[in-house]
Amino acid sequence: MGVGGNFWDLLKPYARQEGVDFLRDKRVAVDLSFWIVQHDAAVRARSPRARNPHLRTTFFRTISLFSKMGAFPVFVVDGDPSPLKSRARIERFFRGSGLDPTAMPKAIAAAAAAEGEDANAVKQRNRVFTKYVQDCVELLELLGMPVLKARCEAEALCAQLNKEGHVDACITADSDAFLFGAKCVVKCLRSNSKEPFECYNISDIEAGLSLKRKQMVAIALLVGNDHDLDGVPGFGVDTALRFVQLFSEDDILNRLREVGKGNFLSLKGSAKPDTDVLVPFLNEVTTNARPPHCSYCGHPGSKKAHRTNACEYCSLDGSEYCIEKPAGFKCACTTCKKDRKVKDQKKHENWQIKVCERIAAEQNFPNNEIIELYLSDNHGNYKENDGPSLRCEKPKVEALVDFLIYHQHWEPSYIRQRILPMLSTIYLRDAASNPDERLLLYDQYEFHSIQRVKIRYGNPYYLVKWKRVSCNTILPTISSEESDIEVEPAGVSESNDFLDEPDAPQILINDGFWFLLTDENMELVQAAFPKEVERFQEEKVIYASVVWKAPG
């Protein structure tokens, strides 16, 4: 959830639409719980009998994020929930279950009274989901992915990593990531789709809405959040936005504290922002009564006077007589302008007083514990010297195969095929970093050639051919009849977008030699094998010229 009141809808106009290469060579923090919840539900909706969809989803999406999108993921899991969030979860459960709300305080008290970490885990966590997370963490570690545990909220640690420059973006659907300090948030990610994904930058939000971190914290306090579901009654996002925009980021939280204490009638900039200007205006208007206005044209002067002397305002339009005023007419004379300004100021003042009264009616508002939680910069241990590393390691292939055989009942050959996109990406990165070192893919295959450019989900890739030089067979045997490159059928189905399952490499046997065909990022191939790319481009030019000169 994050911030209540449809906060994402407020931010949506400032989202950027990014493509599959946006995250390439960038380190991204992934809120693992969000990933599991979102895509486990999608898989079960499509395939109710799917086996361990949380593992299937995590396996394929991680490989796609790493290989197809070229990112360096850092996964973050939730720690123990704060007492505030535990209370909010119980409250949400009661509301969703239609239970008697009067029983809620007893349930909250029982949860707070529970002793021991295990007892709290049983009461505050869903056992099944906790097991899902543990399974996925084990899988990710076998894939070589760094996994961090937050002190409380996963999105909080993701945001802190982003704020401090350790990662370039966060992948989470919790909008309070911005309140924790995130600078760039990817809300929903699908690599197997031509459609771009939404990316939110705090710089765009600040420019479009004039909202900074503490102002967004104030909105969360007013409309509700994960730690206080209700907020202040009568406050929606629009009302909260209008109110917080009256104050600077440095001032907003202190102003909320003053209003919460009932000290708002004397606050300039809150209840009476224009007091110094408003009082002289009121005196001027009351001492100088509004002159009569013509009932026909609406300008200063009576209708009778305008029959004798032409209206000076209407005569500006070249008319000798009064022009009938249109619907919604507003007189532009000095007195009327001042009168409207005073009314608008009074209306705005009354609105502010009404809003402040709502805030003051809330007990113990604002909750300083929530403010401290959002503004804290201590959400987890991750520094290279005294905590887990943020670097990706090479996958432990054989242990990974055993893990997926046990949990998913997949064939070893199928697992090795599906992990090849990750291994080939690692290979190309190593080759680009060490051009003089002879490397082998899977300790068996060497780079052979570039076959063609392949378009997949609207994105171009090189179809790379790898030649086997080792005699160890770990990939499935196929018929020798399959000796030509398989051409991708037109209109690739996107029915399994939610799985982000990468294409399986094609395995060919030609003249007794084994080959693999894989889809690779064009820039990565260029960095690893610049001469081969140059040769491929020259061959394309030669081929095109031959075809162009051919008769008919």
Short mmCIF file of all heavy atoms in Angstrom, two decimals, residues 328-367:
data_model
loop_
_atom_site.label_atom_id
_atom_site.label_comp_id
_atom_site.label_asym_id
_atom_site.label_seq_id
_atom_site.Cartn_x
_atom_site.Cartn_y
_atom_site.Cartn_z
N GLY A 328 -22.27 35.29 -16.50
CA GLY A 328 -21.02 35.14 -15.78
C GLY A 328 -20.15 36.38 -15.82
O GLY A 328 -18.95 36.30 -15.55
N PHE A 329 -20.75 37.51 -16.12
CA PHE A 329 -19.99 38.76 -16.23
C PHE A 329 -19.39 39.16 -14.88
O PHE A 329 -20.03 39.02 -13.84
CB PHE A 329 -20.92 39.88 -16.72
CG PHE A 329 -20.33 41.25 -16.65
CD1 PHE A 329 -19.47 41.71 -17.63
CD2 PHE A 329 -20.62 42.10 -15.58
CE1 PHE A 329 -18.92 42.98 -17.56
CE2 PHE A 329 -20.07 43.37 -15.50
CZ PHE A 329 -19.21 43.81 -16.50
N LYS A 330 -18.12 39.65 -14.94
CA LYS A 330 -17.47 40.17 -13.75
C LYS A 330 -16.94 41.56 -14.07
O LYS A 330 -16.16 41.72 -15.02
CB LYS A 330 -16.32 39.26 -13.31
CG LYS A 330 -16.76 37.92 -12.77
CD LYS A 330 -15.57 37.09 -12.28
CE LYS A 330 -16.01 35.76 -11.71
NZ LYS A 330 -14.85 34.95 -11.24
N CYS A 331 -17.35 42.52 -13.27
CA CYS A 331 -16.92 43.90 -13.49
C CYS A 331 -15.44 44.03 -13.19
O CYS A 331 -14.94 43.47 -12.21
CB CYS A 331 -17.72 44.85 -12.61
SG CYS A 331 -17.21 46.57 -12.78
N ALA A 332 -14.74 44.79 -14.06
CA ALA A 332 -13.30 44.93 -13.93
C ALA A 332 -12.88 46.23 -13.26
O ALA A 332 -11.70 46.57 -13.27
CB ALA A 332 -12.64 44.83 -15.31
N CYS A 333 -13.83 46.93 -12.64
CA CYS A 333 -13.45 48.17 -11.98
C CYS A 333 -12.63 47.87 -10.72
O CYS A 333 -12.67 46.75 -10.18
CB CYS A 333 -14.69 49.00 -11.63
SG CYS A 333 -15.66 48.35 -10.25
N THR A 334 -11.90 48.89 -10.25
CA THR A 334 -11.00 48.71 -9.11
C THR A 334 -11.72 48.23 -7.86
O THR A 334 -11.27 47.33 -7.15
CB THR A 334 -10.26 50.02 -8.81
OG1 THR A 334 -9.57 50.46 -9.99
CG2 THR A 334 -9.26 49.83 -7.68
N THR A 335 -12.88 48.81 -7.59
CA THR A 335 -13.63 48.44 -6.39
C THR A 335 -14.07 46.98 -6.44
O THR A 335 -13.96 46.25 -5.44
CB THR A 335 -14.85 49.35 -6.23
OG1 THR A 335 -14.44 50.71 -6.22
CG2 THR A 335 -15.59 49.03 -4.94
N CYS A 336 -14.57 46.54 -7.59
CA CYS A 336 -15.03 45.14 -7.72
C CYS A 336 -13.87 44.16 -7.61
O CYS A 336 -14.01 43.07 -7.04
CB CYS A 336 -15.78 44.96 -9.03
SG CYS A 336 -17.40 45.76 -9.07
N LYS A 337 -12.72 44.52 -8.18
CA LYS A 337 -11.56 43.65 -8.08
C LYS A 337 -11.14 43.47 -6.62
O LYS A 337 -10.86 42.36 -6.18
CB LYS A 337 -10.40 44.23 -8.89
CG LYS A 337 -10.53 44.07 -10.40
CD LYS A 337 -9.30 44.65 -11.09
CE LYS A 337 -9.38 44.48 -12.60
NZ LYS A 337 -8.19 45.06 -13.28
N LYS A 338 -11.11 44.59 -5.88
CA LYS A 338 -10.75 44.51 -4.46
C LYS A 338 -11.77 43.68 -3.69
O LYS A 338 -11.42 42.88 -2.82
CB LYS A 338 -10.65 45.91 -3.87
CG LYS A 338 -9.45 46.71 -4.35
CD LYS A 338 -9.40 48.06 -3.67
CE LYS A 338 -8.17 48.86 -4.10
NZ LYS A 338 -8.12 50.19 -3.44
N ASP A 339 -13.02 43.87 -4.03
CA ASP A 339 -14.10 43.14 -3.34
C ASP A 339 -13.96 41.64 -3.56
O ASP A 339 -14.09 40.84 -2.64
CB ASP A 339 -15.45 43.65 -3.83
CG ASP A 339 -16.60 43.08 -3.01
OD1 ASP A 339 -16.46 43.00 -1.78
OD2 ASP A 339 -17.62 42.69 -3.62
N ARG A 340 -13.67 41.25 -4.82
CA ARG A 340 -13.51 39.82 -5.12
C ARG A 340 -12.28 39.25 -4.41
O ARG A 340 -12.30 38.11 -3.93
CB ARG A 340 -13.40 39.61 -6.63
CG ARG A 340 -14.72 39.70 -7.37
CD ARG A 340 -14.62 39.10 -8.76
NE ARG A 340 -13.68 39.82 -9.59
CZ ARG A 340 -14.00 40.88 -10.35
NH1 ARG A 340 -15.25 41.33 -10.35
NH2 ARG A 340 -13.09 41.48 -11.08
N LYS A 341 -11.22 40.04 -4.36
CA LYS A 341 -10.01 39.57 -3.72
C LYS A 341 -10.24 39.32 -2.23
O LYS A 341 -9.79 38.32 -1.66
CB LYS A 341 -8.87 40.57 -3.92
CG LYS A 341 -7.54 40.07 -3.40
CD LYS A 341 -6.40 41.00 -3.78
CE LYS A 341 -5.07 40.45 -3.31
NZ LYS A 341 -3.93 41.31 -3.69
N VAL A 342 -10.95 40.24 -1.60
CA VAL A 342 -11.25 40.09 -0.17
C VAL A 342 -12.10 38.84 0.05
O VAL A 342 -11.87 38.06 0.99
CB VAL A 342 -11.97 41.34 0.37
CG1 VAL A 342 -12.52 41.08 1.77
CG2 VAL A 342 -11.02 42.52 0.40
N LYS A 343 -13.09 38.61 -0.80
CA LYS A 343 -13.96 37.43 -0.66
C LYS A 343 -13.16 36.14 -0.85
O LYS A 343 -13.36 35.16 -0.12
CB LYS A 343 -15.10 37.51 -1.66
CG LYS A 343 -16.14 38.57 -1.33
CD LYS A 343 -17.26 38.58 -2.36
CE LYS A 343 -18.32 39.62 -2.01
NZ LYS A 343 -19.40 39.69 -3.01
N ASP A 344 -12.27 36.15 -1.87
CA ASP A 344 -11.46 34.95 -2.11
C ASP A 344 -10.54 34.69 -0.93
O ASP A 344 -10.37 33.53 -0.52
CB ASP A 344 -10.64 35.13 -3.39
CG ASP A 344 -11.49 35.08 -4.65
OD1 ASP A 344 -12.62 34.58 -4.56
OD2 ASP A 344 -11.00 35.53 -5.71
N GLN A 345 -9.96 35.75 -0.38
CA GLN A 345 -9.09 35.57 0.77
C GLN A 345 -9.86 35.07 1.97
O GLN A 345 -9.39 34.20 2.73
CB GLN A 345 -8.38 36.89 1.10
CG GLN A 345 -7.31 37.28 0.09
CD GLN A 345 -6.71 38.64 0.39
OE1 GLN A 345 -7.38 39.50 0.96
NE2 GLN A 345 -5.47 38.84 0.01
N LYS A 346 -11.04 35.59 2.16
CA LYS A 346 -11.87 35.16 3.28
C LYS A 346 -12.28 33.69 3.12
O LYS A 346 -12.28 32.92 4.08
CB LYS A 346 -13.12 36.05 3.37
CG LYS A 346 -13.90 35.86 4.65
CD LYS A 346 -13.11 36.30 5.88
CE LYS A 346 -13.95 36.17 7.14
NZ LYS A 346 -13.16 36.52 8.33
N LYS A 347 -12.61 33.33 1.87
CA LYS A 347 -12.99 31.94 1.60
C LYS A 347 -11.81 31.01 1.86
O LYS A 347 -11.96 29.92 2.45
CB LYS A 347 -13.46 31.83 0.14
CG LYS A 347 -13.91 30.44 -0.25
CD LYS A 347 -14.37 30.42 -1.71
CE LYS A 347 -14.80 29.03 -2.14
NZ LYS A 347 -15.23 29.01 -3.57
N HIS A 348 -10.64 31.42 1.41
CA HIS A 348 -9.44 30.60 1.61
C HIS A 348 -9.11 30.50 3.09
O HIS A 348 -8.75 29.43 3.60
CB HIS A 348 -8.27 31.21 0.86
CG HIS A 348 -7.00 30.42 0.93
ND1 HIS A 348 -6.90 29.14 0.43
CD2 HIS A 348 -5.78 30.72 1.46
CE1 HIS A 348 -5.68 28.67 0.64
NE2 HIS A 348 -4.98 29.62 1.26
N GLU A 349 -9.26 31.60 3.80
CA GLU A 349 -9.01 31.61 5.24
C GLU A 349 -9.97 30.67 5.96
O GLU A 349 -9.56 29.90 6.84
CB GLU A 349 -9.16 33.04 5.77
CG GLU A 349 -9.01 33.15 7.28
CD GLU A 349 -9.36 34.54 7.77
OE1 GLU A 349 -9.57 35.45 6.95
OE2 GLU A 349 -9.43 34.71 9.00
N ASN A 350 -11.25 30.72 5.60
CA ASN A 350 -12.24 29.85 6.24
C ASN A 350 -11.93 28.38 5.96
O ASN A 350 -12.11 27.52 6.82
CB ASN A 350 -13.64 30.20 5.75
CG ASN A 350 -14.10 31.55 6.26
OD1 ASN A 350 -13.62 32.03 7.29
ND2 ASN A 350 -15.04 32.17 5.56
N TRP A 351 -11.45 28.09 4.73
CA TRP A 351 -11.09 26.70 4.38
C TRP A 351 -9.92 26.24 5.24
O TRP A 351 -9.93 25.13 5.77
CB TRP A 351 -10.72 26.62 2.90
CG TRP A 351 -10.22 25.27 2.50
CD1 TRP A 351 -10.95 24.17 2.17
CD2 TRP A 351 -8.84 24.85 2.41
NE1 TRP A 351 -10.14 23.11 1.89
CE2 TRP A 351 -8.84 23.50 2.03
CE3 TRP A 351 -7.62 25.50 2.62
CZ2 TRP A 351 -7.66 22.79 1.84
CZ3 TRP A 351 -6.44 24.78 2.44
CH2 TRP A 351 -6.47 23.45 2.05
N GLN A 352 -8.93 27.09 5.40
CA GLN A 352 -7.78 26.73 6.21
C GLN A 352 -8.17 26.50 7.67
O GLN A 352 -7.69 25.55 8.30
CB GLN A 352 -6.72 27.82 6.12
CG GLN A 352 -6.01 27.86 4.77
CD GLN A 352 -4.89 28.87 4.75
OE1 GLN A 352 -4.88 29.79 5.56
NE2 GLN A 352 -3.95 28.69 3.85
N ILE A 353 -9.04 27.36 8.19
CA ILE A 353 -9.48 27.20 9.57
C ILE A 353 -10.22 25.88 9.74
O ILE A 353 -10.02 25.13 10.71
CB ILE A 353 -10.37 28.38 10.00
CG1 ILE A 353 -9.54 29.66 10.08
CG2 ILE A 353 -11.05 28.10 11.34
CD1 ILE A 353 -10.35 30.90 10.37
N LYS A 354 -11.06 25.55 8.77
CA LYS A 354 -11.83 24.30 8.82
C LYS A 354 -10.89 23.10 8.79
O LYS A 354 -11.05 22.13 9.55
CB LYS A 354 -12.81 24.25 7.65
CG LYS A 354 -13.70 23.03 7.65
CD LYS A 354 -14.69 23.08 6.49
CE LYS A 354 -15.59 21.85 6.48
NZ LYS A 354 -16.54 21.89 5.31
N VAL A 355 -9.88 23.15 7.91
CA VAL A 355 -8.92 22.06 7.81
C VAL A 355 -8.12 21.93 9.10
O VAL A 355 -7.90 20.82 9.61
CB VAL A 355 -7.99 22.30 6.60
CG1 VAL A 355 -6.78 21.37 6.67
CG2 VAL A 355 -8.73 22.07 5.30
N CYS A 356 -7.67 23.03 9.62
CA CYS A 356 -6.89 23.01 10.86
C CYS A 356 -7.72 22.46 12.03
O CYS A 356 -7.19 21.77 12.91
CB CYS A 356 -6.37 24.40 11.19
SG CYS A 356 -5.07 24.97 10.07
N GLU A 357 -9.00 22.78 12.05
CA GLU A 357 -9.86 22.26 13.10
C GLU A 357 -9.97 20.75 13.02
O GLU A 357 -10.02 20.06 14.05
CB GLU A 357 -11.24 22.91 13.01
CG GLU A 357 -11.26 24.38 13.45
CD GLU A 357 -12.61 25.04 13.22
OE1 GLU A 357 -13.42 24.47 12.45
OE2 GLU A 357 -12.85 26.12 13.78
N ARG A 358 -10.01 20.21 11.81
CA ARG A 358 -10.05 18.74 11.65
C ARG A 358 -8.77 18.12 12.21
O ARG A 358 -8.81 17.09 12.89
CB ARG A 358 -10.19 18.37 10.17
CG ARG A 358 -11.53 18.68 9.56
CD ARG A 358 -11.50 18.29 8.09
NE ARG A 358 -12.73 18.63 7.40
CZ ARG A 358 -12.90 18.56 6.09
NH1 ARG A 358 -11.89 18.15 5.33
NH2 ARG A 358 -14.04 18.89 5.52
N ILE A 359 -7.63 18.74 11.89
CA ILE A 359 -6.36 18.20 12.37
C ILE A 359 -6.28 18.29 13.89
O ILE A 359 -5.86 17.34 14.57
CB ILE A 359 -5.19 18.97 11.72
CG1 ILE A 359 -5.18 18.75 10.20
CG2 ILE A 359 -3.86 18.54 12.33
CD1 ILE A 359 -4.15 19.58 9.46
N ALA A 360 -6.68 19.44 14.44
CA ALA A 360 -6.60 19.63 15.89
C ALA A 360 -7.52 18.68 16.65
O ALA A 360 -7.27 18.39 17.83
CB ALA A 360 -6.95 21.08 16.23
N ALA A 361 -8.57 18.19 15.98
CA ALA A 361 -9.51 17.28 16.64
C ALA A 361 -8.91 15.88 16.83
O ALA A 361 -9.43 15.09 17.63
CB ALA A 361 -10.80 17.18 15.83
N GLU A 362 -7.82 15.57 16.10
CA GLU A 362 -7.17 14.26 16.22
C GLU A 362 -6.26 14.24 17.44
O GLU A 362 -5.45 15.15 17.64
CB GLU A 362 -6.36 13.95 14.96
CG GLU A 362 -7.19 13.59 13.76
CD GLU A 362 -7.95 12.29 13.95
OE1 GLU A 362 -7.30 11.23 14.11
OE2 GLU A 362 -9.19 12.34 13.98
N GLN A 363 -6.37 13.20 18.22
CA GLN A 363 -5.52 13.07 19.40
C GLN A 363 -4.10 12.66 19.00
O GLN A 363 -3.90 11.84 18.12
CB GLN A 363 -6.10 12.04 20.36
CG GLN A 363 -7.41 12.45 21.00
CD GLN A 363 -7.90 11.43 22.01
OE1 GLN A 363 -7.34 10.34 22.13
NE2 GLN A 363 -8.94 11.78 22.75
N ASN A 364 -3.14 13.28 19.66
CA ASN A 364 -1.72 12.94 19.47
C ASN A 364 -1.29 13.02 18.01
O ASN A 364 -0.58 12.14 17.49
CB ASN A 364 -1.43 11.53 20.02
CG ASN A 364 -1.77 11.41 21.49
OD1 ASN A 364 -1.51 12.31 22.27
ND2 ASN A 364 -2.37 10.28 21.86
N PHE A 365 -1.77 14.06 17.33
CA PHE A 365 -1.39 14.25 15.93
C PHE A 365 -0.40 15.41 15.84
O PHE A 365 -0.59 16.45 16.49
CB PHE A 365 -2.62 14.55 15.07
CG PHE A 365 -2.30 14.63 13.60
CD1 PHE A 365 -2.36 13.50 12.81
CD2 PHE A 365 -1.91 15.83 13.02
CE1 PHE A 365 -2.04 13.56 11.48
CE2 PHE A 365 -1.60 15.91 11.68
CZ PHE A 365 -1.67 14.78 10.90
N PRO A 366 0.64 15.22 15.01
CA PRO A 366 1.01 14.03 14.24
C PRO A 366 1.76 13.03 15.10
O PRO A 366 2.31 13.39 16.15
CB PRO A 366 1.92 14.60 13.15
CG PRO A 366 2.58 15.76 13.81
CD PRO A 366 1.54 16.36 14.72
N ASN A 367 1.82 11.78 14.63
CA ASN A 367 2.52 10.73 15.36
C ASN A 367 4.01 10.85 15.06
O ASN A 367 4.47 10.55 13.96
CB ASN A 367 2.00 9.36 14.92
CG ASN A 367 2.54 8.24 15.78
OD1 ASN A 367 3.70 8.23 16.14
ND2 ASN A 367 1.68 7.27 16.11
#
